[in-house]
């Protein structure tokens, strides 16, 4: 239950609704307004389950990960969702005769148990790509993450994919040999069981982007990966081409319009809703953007600390800070935006691909380091920030950031990845073309395979 997982599932709901399939979405009270707005003017039904309140570690009213005071509470939060299972099953009992399958987020592992109890097919939604899933599986099988003689930043060749080199720092610490115990171990074990129980994976990717990895996965696993993305293209983004008066647009869109009229290019910077960035690192980002002399729009979470004294005044002619929730796709699609300084969350990568905006990769957590390798080394649509010690998890100083920002926006390497991005962007958009795109046809095949036994199809999304 986080925006980065909720939004693609809701995009999937829109795709299914366009095929005249009945959709029921399960959510919680605090998440209901966002979901109801996203599904407004559709026939989707929304069922609200009470979020468990008997969890002393989770503050009352926190029902999504972006509201957690620290991501160290993530595993406890996810484990707490288990208490919704009885209410979920009581509601599901009333729907079971007409439900063809349940699509559920991978962190809500208990949904697989409920689906098995009612004999309903279940598809696990993956918020990541086939590249990261295949690499993790490959290195774990070969024991590459538990070799004590290797430094954390020492590159290792992946036997199954010999053109790919990774290091231990590319993987979440959960998988790198550290002793797991307590909530992280319990949660990981339950999620792994849900993966083994599901009838397949709904993957937010497209076949042409990672065909070798998709084929590898589907020939070696009983659960098929169904690539139905980029899901960010599913809902028509009416607000991208705005007809309303200038004064009614959000302030950041008005600012981008002004830069476009000036003929100026803009770097968009955003690091997602979950990355925890130190005050020291925030100051280096601010100083690096200031010294780069490029125009920039930087989205910062409200709970992050203030920037250095006088920063906003010094950059006011060419920089803007936004602390509100933004439509990221709308920003990336703006004609003034020519670069994206990104944490490489998979949703952000896909949105950048669809908009044709090259990436300056700065991964911070989860599978983002693998996404960064994919962006820079595999599909070659981005560059990477320079850390002060060369480690992929190292501190980034203003000098290294300034250098790579200027390279992306003005340099020769930036021009090269910009051209490559045009090619990949074209593939991404074609994959979602109605009736003919590979992802569109894959979703049709998925529906036909799972729903063929019933005339009236209903899907539950959790």
């Amino acid at each position: 239950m986080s925006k980065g997982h909720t939004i693609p599932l809701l995009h999937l709901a829109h795709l299914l609704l366009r095929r005249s399939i009945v959709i029921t979405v399960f959510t919680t009270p605090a998440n209901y307004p966002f979901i109801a707005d996203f599904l407004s003017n559709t026939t989707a039904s929304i069922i609200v389950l009470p979020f468990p309140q008997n969890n002393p570690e989770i503050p009352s009213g926190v029902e999504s990960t972006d509201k957690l005071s620290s991501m160290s509470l993530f595993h406890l939060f996810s484990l707490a969702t288990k208490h919704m299972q009885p209410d979920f099953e009581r509601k599901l009992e009333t729907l079971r005769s007409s439900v063809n399958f349940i699509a559920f987020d991978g962190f809500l592992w208990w949904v697989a148990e409920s689906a098995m109890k009612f004999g309903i097919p279940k598809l696990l939604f993956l918020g990541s790509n086939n590249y990261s899933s295949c690499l993790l599986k490959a290195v774990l099988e070969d024991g590459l993450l538990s070799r004590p003689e290797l430094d954390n930043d020492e590159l290792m060749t992946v036997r199954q994919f010999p053109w790919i080199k990774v290091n231990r720092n590319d993987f979440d610490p959960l998988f790198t040999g550290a002793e797991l115990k307590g909530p992280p171990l319990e949660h990981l074990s339950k999620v792994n069981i849900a993966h083994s129980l599901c009838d397949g994976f709904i993957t937010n990717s497209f076949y042409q982007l990672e065909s070798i990895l998709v084929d590898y996965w589907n020939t070696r696993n009983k659960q098929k990966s169904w690539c139905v993305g980029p899901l960010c293209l599913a809902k028509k983004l009416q607000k991208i081409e705005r007809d309303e008066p200038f004064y009614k647009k959000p302030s950041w869109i008005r600012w981008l319009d002004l830069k476009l009229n000036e003929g100026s290019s803009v770097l968009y910077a955003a690091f997602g809703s979950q990355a925890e960035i130190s005050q020291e690192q925030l100051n280096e980002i601010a100083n690096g953007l200031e010294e780069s002399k490029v125009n920039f729009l930087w989205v910062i979470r409200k709970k992050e600390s203030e920037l250095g004294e006088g920063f906003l005044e010094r950059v006011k002619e060419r920089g803007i800070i936004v602390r509100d929730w933004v439509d990221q796709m709308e920003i990336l699609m703006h004609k003034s935006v020519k670069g994206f300084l990104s944490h490489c969350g998979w949703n952000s990568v896909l949105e950048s691909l669809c908009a044709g905006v090259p990436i300056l990769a700065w991964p911070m957590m989860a599978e983002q380091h693998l996404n960064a390798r994919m962006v820079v080394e595999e599909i070659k649509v981005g560059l990477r920030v320079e850390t002060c010690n060369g480690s992929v998890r190292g501190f980034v100083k203003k000098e290294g950031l300034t250098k790579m920002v200027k390279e992306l926006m003005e340099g020769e390497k930036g021009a090269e990845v910009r051209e490559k991005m045009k090619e990949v962007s074209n593939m991404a958009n074609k994959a979602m073309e109605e009736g003919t795109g590979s992802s569109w046809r894959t979703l049709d095949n998925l529906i036909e395979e799972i729903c063929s036994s019933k005339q009236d199809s209903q899907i539950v999304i959790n």
Side-chain angles (χ1 to χ4, degrees):
M1 296 199 297
S2 65
K3 292 294 192 300
H5 290 231
T6 301
I7 291 174
L9 277 168
L10 294 176
H11 282 142
L12 174 65
H14 274 272
L15 282 175
L16 295 169
L17 288 164
R18 290 179 66 176
R19 290 162 166 82
S20 300
I21 289 176
V22 179
I23 299 292
T24 300
V25 177
F26 282 84
T27 187
T28 63
N31 292 305
Y32 172 80
F34 179 82
I35 289 176
D37 180 64
F38 211 100
L39 295 174
S40 62
N41 301 317
T42 75
T43 59
S45 300
I46 304 174
I47 294 178
V48 178
L49 302 176
F51 190 80
Q53 298 299 314
N54 56 340
N55 301 286
E57 302 91 349
I58 309 299
S60 177
V62 173
E63 298 177 16
S64 59
T65 58
D66 57 301
K67 301 298 183 183
L68 293 172
S69 58
S70 169
M71 284 306 293
S72 64
L73 296 173
F74 168 74
H75 298 288
L76 285 170
F77 173 81
S78 190
L79 289 170
T81 66
K82 166 76 171 178
H83 297 296
M84 294 192 292
Q85 188 173 8
D87 288 320
F88 173 64
E89 291 183 357
R90 281 192 286 271
K91 295 290 186 180
L92 191 59
E93 174 71 36
T94 67
L95 301 172
R96 61 184 295 184
S97 62
S98 60
V99 174
N100 292 84
F101 72 84
I102 297 176
F104 69 103
D105 184 83
F107 288 121
L108 300 177
W109 81 94
W110 46 269
V111 177
E113 300 173 358
S114 300
M116 288 191 68
K117 184 182 298 186
F118 289 101
I120 301 172
K122 52 214 168 295
L123 293 169
L124 186 148
F125 172 75
L126 282 180
S128 56
N129 49 46
N130 295 279
Y131 180 88
S132 59
S133 298
C134 286
L135 289 186
L136 177 59
K137 184 177 178 66
V139 298
L140 289 177
E141 287 176 351
D142 287 352
L144 294 182
L145 300 184
S146 56
R147 291 171 57 185
E149 75 277 11
L150 292 179
D151 180 84
N152 284 341
D153 284 293
E154 187 173 343
L155 289 175
M156 308 173 287
T157 299
V158 181
R159 176 178 56 83
Q160 296 90 328
F161 314 104
W163 67 94
I164 298 176
K165 295 183 184 297
V166 295
N167 60 45
R168 282 211 293 253
N169 268 335
D170 285 323
F171 297 87
D172 191 285
L174 285 173
F175 304 108
T176 54
E179 183 180 353
L180 275 179
K181 58 183 179 180
L185 175 59
E186 181 183 357
H187 183 233
L188 182 61
S189 299
K190 292 180 180 298
V191 169
N192 285 338
I193 291 173
H195 279 225
S196 67
L197 294 177
C198 73
D199 298 300
F201 299 99
I202 297 175
T203 307
N204 191 9
S205 185
F206 57 102
Y207 181 76
Q208 292 82 357
L209 184 69
E210 44 178 355
S211 57
I212 295 175
L213 287 303
V214 177
D215 291 341
Y216 177 88
W217 182 271
N218 286 343
T219 56
R220 288 166 173 79
N221 295 276
K222 65 176 183 178
Q223 296 105 334
K224 182 177 180 180
S225 172
W226 300 83
C227 293
V228 299
L231 290 171
C232 57
L233 293 176
K235 185 181 179 184
K236 297 297 183 183
L237 301 173
Q238 299 94 339
K239 295 182 179 180
I240 290 177
E241 296 294 337
R242 291 178 178 271
D243 295 325
E244 67 265 42
F246 180 81
Y247 67 88
K248 288 188 176 182
K249 298 179 181 181
S251 59
W252 52 91
I253 297 298
R254 297 200 303 268
W255 185 84
L256 289 175
D257 286 346
L258 290 173
K259 291 302 170 186
L260 181 63
N261 291 337
E262 294 173 3
S264 301
S265 298
V266 175
L267 174 76
Y268 171 54
F271 303 101
S273 60
Q274 297 184 4
E276 296 178 338
I277 305 175
S278 69
Q279 182 61 56
E280 184 182 9
Q281 187 64 88
L282 278 172
N283 291 339
E284 293 294 326
I285 296 172
N287 292 335
L289 291 175
E290 180 179 356
E291 294 191 8
S292 72
K293 305 301 182 185
V294 304
N295 299 290
F296 64 88
L297 189 162
W298 182 10
V299 175
I300 301 180
R301 297 185 305 176
K302 286 185 178 181
K303 63 183 179 181
E304 288 177 334
S305 302
E306 292 297 324
L307 303 175
E309 184 178 353
F311 172 74
L312 293 177
E313 180 64 24
R314 294 193 302 273
V315 301
K316 64 180 181 180
E317 298 301 323
R318 58 180 183 81
I320 182 173
I321 303 295
V322 179
R323 295 182 183 272
D324 298 314
W325 175 262
V326 301
D327 184 336
Q328 180 163 278
M329 189 70 171
E330 181 180 22
I331 291 174
L332 288 168
M333 292 289 288
H334 198 281
K335 293 179 181 178
S336 67
V337 176
K338 302 299 181 183
F340 184 13
L341 174 58
S342 172
H343 64 309
C344 286
W346 187 236
N347 289 331
S348 292
V349 171
L350 285 176
E351 289 171 351
S352 207
L353 293 180
C354 294
V357 176
I359 297 169
L360 181 54
W362 189 347
M364 297 188 177
M365 58 182 291
E367 87 288 357
Q368 293 166 10
H369 291 82
L370 292 173
N371 294 343
R373 285 208 181 273
M374 183 181 185
V375 163
V376 176
E377 300 170 10
E378 193 75 11
I379 55 178
K380 304 182 189 307
V381 294
L383 306 176
R384 191 158 187 159
V385 295
E386 289 188 355
T387 60
C388 60
N389 64 355
S391 171
V392 296
R393 292 182 182 265
F395 189 81
V396 176
K397 291 188 175 181
K398 64 178 183 179
E399 295 84 0
L401 181 59
T402 298
K403 172 186 173 183
M404 294 313 299
V405 163
K406 294 180 73 171
E407 184 61 47
L408 181 74
M409 300 297 286
E410 304 166 0
E412 184 177 332
K413 292 181 180 178
E416 291 174 0
V417 297
R418 200 175 309 281
E419 283 301 309
K420 181 63 176 178
M421 179 60 94
K422 292 178 183 177
E423 175 188 332
V424 176
S425 181
N426 185 51
M427 287 194 301
N429 283 273
K430 281 189 173 182
M432 287 296 287
E433 287 183 354
E434 185 169 351
T436 59
S438 62
S439 292
W440 187 277
R441 288 184 281 107
T442 294
L443 186 55
D444 283 343
N445 293 337
L446 169 61
I447 295 168
E448 182 178 358
E449 181 171 312
I450 293 188
C451 302
S452 58
S453 62
K454 294 185 179 181
Q455 184 175 358
D456 298 318
S457 300
Q458 177 169 199
I459 312 302
V460 170
I461 293 179
N462 198 322

